[in-house]
Amino acid sequence: MVTKYMIHGPCGRIRPASPCMKDGKCLKFYPKQFVNETIFDDDGYPVYKHRDMGITVKLSGTDIDNRFVVPYNPLLLMKYQSHINLEFCNKSNVIKYLFKYVNKGLDRLTATMDQSTSGCQNSQVVDEIK
Ligand SMILES: [Zn+2]
């Protein structure tokens, strides 16, 4: 099920034309680096454990290793048999972000409409900020 549902891409040097690639880099930062335990980087973002166990699976003729596996929970994966990206958030600033995200409301904007003057030689100054 991990092979079927939880593999990102492949992308990177293996498949540079993948939709997640921009300017030669994966927008989701795959493949991840091998690390033996989950740590936080200097910016406070988690770097999840991706051990180099020497295990690969063959997808589209390419050997894929653990660096392409999206964080998951085995119980949820087996129960729902679908892609469920599960990541832990345990820093106090994440709770603040989550609170703001839940309460931000719908997207909205403020717009004004003005009467159009004829012709392209319009000398009227439009206050775009207004
Ligand atoms: Zn990617």
Side-chain angles (χ1 to χ4, degrees), residues 8-12 18-21 25-31 68:
H8 173 82
C11 61
S18 178
C20 63
M21 295 291 289
K25 293 184 178 180
C26 172
L27 296 173
K28 304 290 184 185
F29 307 107
Y30 282 89
F68 287 93

Short mmCIF file of all heavy atoms in Angstrom, two decimals, residues 8-12 18-21 25-31 68, ligand 1:
data_model
loop_
_atom_site.label_atom_id
_atom_site.label_comp_id
_atom_site.label_asym_id
_atom_site.label_seq_id
_atom_site.Cartn_x
_atom_site.Cartn_y
_atom_site.Cartn_z
N HIS A 8 5.78 9.81 -3.65
CA HIS A 8 5.72 11.08 -4.37
C HIS A 8 6.47 10.93 -5.69
O HIS A 8 7.57 10.39 -5.72
CB HIS A 8 6.35 12.19 -3.55
CG HIS A 8 6.46 13.48 -4.31
ND1 HIS A 8 5.41 14.35 -4.43
CD2 HIS A 8 7.49 14.01 -5.03
CE1 HIS A 8 5.78 15.37 -5.16
NE2 HIS A 8 7.04 15.20 -5.55
N GLY A 9 5.90 11.48 -6.75
CA GLY A 9 6.56 11.50 -8.04
C GLY A 9 6.47 10.16 -8.76
O GLY A 9 5.40 9.60 -8.84
N PRO A 10 7.58 9.65 -9.24
CA PRO A 10 8.93 10.17 -9.03
C PRO A 10 9.19 11.48 -9.77
O PRO A 10 8.52 11.80 -10.75
CB PRO A 10 9.82 9.05 -9.57
CG PRO A 10 8.98 8.29 -10.52
CD PRO A 10 7.58 8.44 -10.05
N CYS A 11 10.16 12.19 -9.27
CA CYS A 11 10.54 13.47 -9.86
C CYS A 11 12.05 13.65 -9.68
O CYS A 11 12.76 12.70 -9.46
CB CYS A 11 9.76 14.61 -9.22
SG CYS A 11 10.04 14.80 -7.46
N GLY A 12 12.50 14.88 -9.76
CA GLY A 12 13.94 15.14 -9.61
C GLY A 12 14.70 14.68 -10.84
O GLY A 12 14.20 14.75 -11.96
N SER A 18 8.31 16.04 -14.44
CA SER A 18 7.19 15.83 -13.52
C SER A 18 6.49 17.17 -13.23
O SER A 18 7.13 18.22 -13.16
CB SER A 18 7.71 15.22 -12.22
OG SER A 18 6.67 15.05 -11.30
N PRO A 19 5.15 17.17 -13.05
CA PRO A 19 4.42 18.42 -12.81
C PRO A 19 4.86 19.19 -11.56
O PRO A 19 4.64 20.39 -11.46
CB PRO A 19 2.96 17.97 -12.67
CG PRO A 19 2.90 16.56 -13.07
CD PRO A 19 4.28 16.01 -13.13
N CYS A 20 5.49 18.50 -10.63
CA CYS A 20 5.92 19.17 -9.40
C CYS A 20 7.27 19.86 -9.56
O CYS A 20 7.74 20.51 -8.63
CB CYS A 20 6.00 18.16 -8.25
SG CYS A 20 7.22 16.87 -8.52
N MET A 21 7.87 19.76 -10.73
CA MET A 21 9.21 20.33 -10.94
C MET A 21 9.12 21.76 -11.48
O MET A 21 8.31 22.07 -12.35
CB MET A 21 9.99 19.48 -11.94
CG MET A 21 10.30 18.08 -11.45
SD MET A 21 11.48 18.06 -10.10
CE MET A 21 12.97 18.52 -10.95
N LYS A 25 13.87 21.91 -9.71
CA LYS A 25 13.69 21.45 -8.33
C LYS A 25 12.23 21.08 -8.09
O LYS A 25 11.33 21.69 -8.63
CB LYS A 25 14.11 22.53 -7.33
CG LYS A 25 15.58 22.83 -7.34
CD LYS A 25 15.95 23.82 -6.27
CE LYS A 25 17.45 24.06 -6.27
NZ LYS A 25 17.85 25.02 -5.25
N CYS A 26 12.05 20.12 -7.22
CA CYS A 26 10.70 19.68 -6.85
C CYS A 26 10.10 20.71 -5.90
O CYS A 26 10.72 21.09 -4.90
CB CYS A 26 10.76 18.31 -6.18
SG CYS A 26 9.18 17.80 -5.50
N LEU A 27 8.88 21.16 -6.18
CA LEU A 27 8.21 22.13 -5.33
C LEU A 27 7.89 21.56 -3.95
O LEU A 27 7.66 22.30 -3.01
CB LEU A 27 6.93 22.62 -6.00
CG LEU A 27 7.13 23.38 -7.32
CD1 LEU A 27 5.79 23.66 -7.98
CD2 LEU A 27 7.89 24.68 -7.08
N LYS A 28 7.86 20.25 -3.81
CA LYS A 28 7.59 19.59 -2.52
C LYS A 28 8.88 19.08 -1.87
O LYS A 28 8.84 18.33 -0.91
CB LYS A 28 6.62 18.41 -2.73
CG LYS A 28 5.33 18.79 -3.40
CD LYS A 28 4.46 19.63 -2.49
CE LYS A 28 3.12 19.91 -3.16
NZ LYS A 28 2.29 20.80 -2.38
N PHE A 29 10.01 19.44 -2.46
CA PHE A 29 11.33 19.13 -1.91
C PHE A 29 11.64 17.63 -1.89
O PHE A 29 12.32 17.15 -0.98
CB PHE A 29 11.51 19.73 -0.52
CG PHE A 29 11.22 21.21 -0.48
CD1 PHE A 29 10.06 21.68 0.11
CD2 PHE A 29 12.08 22.12 -1.07
CE1 PHE A 29 9.78 23.04 0.14
CE2 PHE A 29 11.81 23.48 -1.05
CZ PHE A 29 10.65 23.94 -0.45
N TYR A 30 11.13 16.88 -2.86
CA TYR A 30 11.49 15.48 -3.01
C TYR A 30 12.57 15.35 -4.06
O TYR A 30 12.64 16.19 -4.94
CB TYR A 30 10.26 14.66 -3.42
CG TYR A 30 9.33 14.39 -2.25
CD1 TYR A 30 8.32 15.27 -1.92
CD2 TYR A 30 9.50 13.25 -1.47
CE1 TYR A 30 7.49 15.05 -0.84
CE2 TYR A 30 8.67 13.01 -0.39
CZ TYR A 30 7.66 13.90 -0.09
OH TYR A 30 6.85 13.67 0.98
N PRO A 31 13.41 14.32 -4.00
CA PRO A 31 13.50 13.34 -2.93
C PRO A 31 14.07 13.95 -1.66
O PRO A 31 14.94 14.81 -1.72
CB PRO A 31 14.44 12.27 -3.50
CG PRO A 31 15.27 12.99 -4.51
CD PRO A 31 14.39 14.08 -5.06
N PHE A 68 11.41 9.00 -1.33
CA PHE A 68 10.21 9.43 -2.05
C PHE A 68 8.92 9.10 -1.30
O PHE A 68 7.83 9.38 -1.79
CB PHE A 68 10.16 8.80 -3.44
CG PHE A 68 11.15 9.40 -4.40
CD1 PHE A 68 12.41 8.83 -4.55
CD2 PHE A 68 10.84 10.52 -5.14
CE1 PHE A 68 13.34 9.37 -5.42
CE2 PHE A 68 11.76 11.07 -6.02
CZ PHE A 68 13.02 10.49 -6.16
ZN ZN B 1 8.35 16.23 -6.77
#
